[in-house]
Amino acid sequence: MSFSKIRFPHPFYLLLLTLLISSSVHLNAQERYKIVFPNVNFFAGTPLEDIDGTSDKLVGILDAVKNEFAFRIAMNSFQFPRALMQEHYNENYLETDKFPNADFKGSIDGNVDWKTNGTYEVVAKGEFIVHGVAKFYEIPAFISIQDGENKIKAVFEIQLEDHQIKRPKIVMLKIADSAEVTVEATLEAF
Amino acid sequence: MRYLVNSLLVLCIVSLFSCNLYAQDLDDLLSDLQSEVATSQDVIATFKATRVINGHSVEMLAKGDLEFRIAHRFGRLNTGAVDLWGLDLADNRIGFDYGITNWLMTGIGRSSFNNVVDYFLKARITRQQTQPQNLLQHFSINWYSNVMLDGRPNPLGSWTEDIDQRFSYAHQLIIAKKINDRFSLQITPTAIYESYVPTAEDQNLRFALGTAGRVKLTNRVAITAEHFLRIPFNGSDISPDFQQNNNSFSVGFDIETGGHVFQLHFTNSRSMVERGFIQQTNGTWANNDIHFGFNITRNFTL
């Protein structure tokens, strides 16, 4: 029997097969989590002025199988204690009309046993796009699992210069070089 | 053999597609999630300051904000070198504005022009939304009312004898739209009531239509312009006060640095309160009756 005599299945059946395989991957969908009840805060103040903004408009998904994540936040959703501060943040510094979202996408380093209670230290690695400027970040984060309730927390620094967020010299004493960002959220399977 | 090649080809194409689908999925998913949590926001910073140049803008002070405001107009450019193109002469208005709530602000000021003391209230009716659901949400609309007291001495008697003739009132509906992050427009239908007018033919109650705009050059610098068209009474107003005065027109720059806004401008009006710059502008741009001026504000959060 020559090689050419072997009958391969018709491409149509192969197509069906691949569709079946890919749908079985989707059966793992419960291993995907989405962000709920987020709280994002940043502080860029100095002893002269408290500059801090808070938002609850973070969205994101975390794929526990592929260890991948994607987060996005509407930058104009940050609320400030002073209206003028909020206006300057939107108009002058983050230019939120031009750059409406900040995106953070990448992979997660570290083992998380999603079925066992505990706190797991992981590192989120990926491109963080703020003010339209992408930079690679490695952000340590904690995922805590307590009776099916999963929470994530991370604290990290952003250098304003890295994202071309410009401060005029006249306000340099009031606005810090870097912003400390705190993210807390619940991860809900979906 | 043909089957093998075909099969592999199909496999390749399908796997390519499924990869792409996943990446596509992620962005779509984020957008979907985002539209779930998104809420329409108030459009902010239609103008840099609570005044365009002379007239009020649709901007308000936030609750608890106190603003110290100095407005200054030099003399006319056409006075020439003798008066250093107007710099020897000056009119000013010094005032304080205060945000009672986020939708109501008030202010008091005193002008050197006719020794006028003015008091105003400005209230926000509606605000332009980032995701408008109806026609109203495409615009920011404020109501503005003020009262102006002419404080000049009475040559014939005491200051209070003619008190009933000293008051004027202005009411405005301020309608503005931030068309994009650089360009904003405003129209300001205005009614002004003057207790005292020079002649019997002059109307006490007169109307005007203000138009204003700003173009942002950079995040901190903008060009502004403002015009007040006086509406003639009965179509052709021949009353002396109307004929002797002109429509107010001003152009300027807004420069913002942190808590300050500097407004530098050229205008044919001397006064900085509504009765003055709308009804008592006797200079014209054509004659170079142009005043250089500035507004400086300092914002304090109480």
Side-chain angles (χ1 to χ4, degrees):
Chain A
M1 196 165 89
S2 77
F3 183 73
S4 61
K5 284 280 190 277
I6 301 171
R7 295 271 324 242
F8 284 95
H10 189 273
F12 176 73
Y13 295 109
L14 264 177
L15 183 72
L16 263 180
L17 187 70
T18 44
L19 281 178
L20 268 172
I21 292 167
S22 61
S23 61
S24 71
V25 169
H26 276 269
L27 285 180
N28 283 325
Q30 71 263 35
E31 301 296 338
R32 280 206 302 197
Y33 297 88
K34 71 170 177 179
I35 292 279
V36 289
F37 309 122
N39 191 314
V40 182
N41 175 271
F42 79 84
F43 183 83
T46 60
L48 278 178
E49 192 148 35
D50 279 346
I51 296 170
D52 73 315
T54 305
S55 168
D56 61 354
K57 300 293 183 215
L58 175 73
V59 296
I61 28 186
L62 191 154
D63 189 320
V65 176
K66 294 184 165 180
N67 273 334
E68 286 176 346
F69 68 89
F71 289 178
R72 176 173 291 172
I73 189 160
M75 293 304 278
N76 69 358
S77 62
F78 280 93
Q79 302 295 312
F80 292 74
R82 288 180 55 190
L84 204 59
M85 203 182 274
Q86 190 161 331
E87 183 179 320
H88 293 162
Y89 158 89
N90 282 294
E91 289 275 302
N92 299 347
Y93 298 106
L94 272 298
E95 303 175 278
T96 55
D97 278 340
K98 252 189 257 172
F99 310 108
N101 293 320
D103 272 354
F104 186 32
K105 287 180 195 170
S107 60
I108 294 166
D109 262 16
N111 292 317
V112 182
D113 184 350
W114 293 87
K115 297 197 168 54
T116 312
N117 285 353
T119 299
Y120 303 91
E121 195 173 347
V122 296
V123 177
K125 290 179 174 177
E127 289 263 287
F128 192 14
I129 306 173
V130 181
H131 192 232
V133 182
K135 189 180 182 279
F136 185 81
Y137 278 77
E138 289 188 18
I139 296 171
F142 295 94
I143 295 176
S144 68
I145 290 155
Q146 188 66 48
D147 303 328
E149 206 177 63
N150 314 315
K151 289 191 169 156
I152 187 163
K153 181 176 180 175
V155 181
F156 61 99
E157 291 243 316
I158 292 178
Q159 298 294 322
L160 301 191
E161 214 171 37
D162 288 348
H163 295 280
Q164 291 171 20
I165 300 163
K166 295 189 189 90
R167 298 168 299 157
K169 288 202 173 60
I170 200 160
V171 297
M172 284 237 175
L173 291 173
K174 285 187 173 177
I175 303 174
D177 302 331
S178 63
E180 189 186 77
V181 183
T182 308
V183 180
E184 281 180 284
T186 300
L187 294 166
E188 190 183 83
F190 87 117
Chain B
M1 195 61 198
R2 200 168 54 90
Y3 272 139
L4 177 67
V5 172
N6 276 353
S7 313
L8 284 175
L9 212 68
V10 165
L11 257 177
C12 280
I13 289 169
V14 167
S15 55
L16 258 176
F17 261 110
S18 56
C19 279
N20 268 348
L21 273 177
Y22 185 74
Q24 187 69 45
D25 247 8
L26 206 62
D27 257 1
D28 282 352
L29 212 54
L30 284 180
S31 301
D32 285 352
L33 288 171
Q34 204 165 31
S35 57
E36 275 172 32
V37 299
T39 45
S40 184
Q41 305 235 1
D42 294 334
V43 168
I44 59 162
T46 306
F47 289 91
K48 286 251 185 252
T50 57
R51 312 297 199 282
V52 180
I53 290 171
N54 285 313
H56 272 261
S57 78
V58 82
E59 292 301 320
M60 302 280 286
L61 288 183
K63 181 181 180 179
D65 275 7
L66 178 75
E67 193 172 73
F68 178 49
R69 171 174 284 274
I70 299 174
H72 197 101
R73 306 290 179 266
F74 290 104
R76 290 174 174 176
L77 294 183
N78 62 7
T79 53
V82 173
D83 280 332
L84 201 62
W85 294 274
L87 293 194
D88 287 355
L89 312 160
D91 285 293
N92 64 53
R93 178 185 177 277
I94 297 172
F96 284 96
D97 294 355
Y98 180 68
I100 299 166
T101 68
N102 284 331
W103 55 269
L104 182 67
M105 69 177 277
T106 186
I108 190 161
R110 197 270 182 189
S111 304
S112 61
F113 182 81
N114 290 355
N115 309 72
V116 171
V117 175
D118 66 281
Y119 172 77
F120 74 84
L121 279 168
K122 182 160 72 165
R124 174 171 279 146
I125 297 167
T126 177
R127 271 191 106 161
Q128 191 182 344
Q129 294 295 304
T130 53
Q131 293 154 25
Q133 306 292 316
N134 56 48
L135 185 67
L136 210 57
Q137 292 182 351
H138 285 275
F139 302 96
S140 294
I141 303 174
N142 289 1
W143 182 267
Y144 170 85
S145 286
N146 84 345
V147 50
M148 296 155 278
L149 174 67
D150 188 326
R152 284 177 292 180
N154 178 1
L156 304 172
S158 83
W159 187 85
T160 49
E161 265 172 46
D162 55 358
I163 189 85
D164 56 326
Q165 300 197 352
R166 289 178 177 273
F167 285 102
S168 317
Y169 310 87
H171 304 284
Q172 294 182 318
L173 195 62
I174 305 173
I175 305 163
K177 182 164 177 64
K178 190 177 188 177
I179 289 160
N180 56 42
D181 65 324
R182 299 210 168 276
F183 187 46
S184 302
L185 271 180
Q186 177 177 298
I187 58 165
T188 315
T190 304
I192 294 177
Y193 182 86
E194 294 166 83
S195 305
Y196 171 81
V197 282
T199 69
E201 289 98 75
D202 294 318
Q203 299 295 316
N204 291 95
L205 177 64
R206 286 181 283 180
F207 299 95
L209 182 67
T211 45
R214 78 114 190 232
V215 180
K216 253 169 85 176
L217 299 180
T218 71
N219 283 341
R220 292 186 174 78
V221 179
I223 292 182
T224 53
E226 183 182 62
H227 182 259
F228 281 88
L229 175 76
R230 298 168 307 143
I231 314 279
F233 178 67
N234 279 348
S236 59
D237 198 327
I238 50 144
S239 62
D241 202 35
F242 189 91
Q243 293 295 325
Q244 282 159 19
N245 288 303
N246 299 291
N247 293 333
S248 171
F249 178 67
S250 319
V251 289
F253 283 98
D254 284 1
I255 301 163
E256 183 222 304
T257 60
H260 299 276
V261 178
F262 297 96
Q263 298 180 303
L264 310 174
H265 32 254
F266 293 96
T267 173
N268 60 336
S269 301
R270 270 180 72 191
S271 172
M272 290 145 270
V273 289
E274 279 68 16
R275 181 201 189 189
F277 65 78
I278 296 172
Q279 305 288 32
Q280 299 170 325
T281 292
N282 56 12
T284 66
W285 277 73
N287 287 346
N288 283 329
D289 303 327
I290 301 163
H291 306 257
F292 173 63
F294 59 81
N295 301 340
I296 295 177
T297 65
R298 175 67 212 181
N299 196 296
F300 303 95
T301 299
L302 299 186

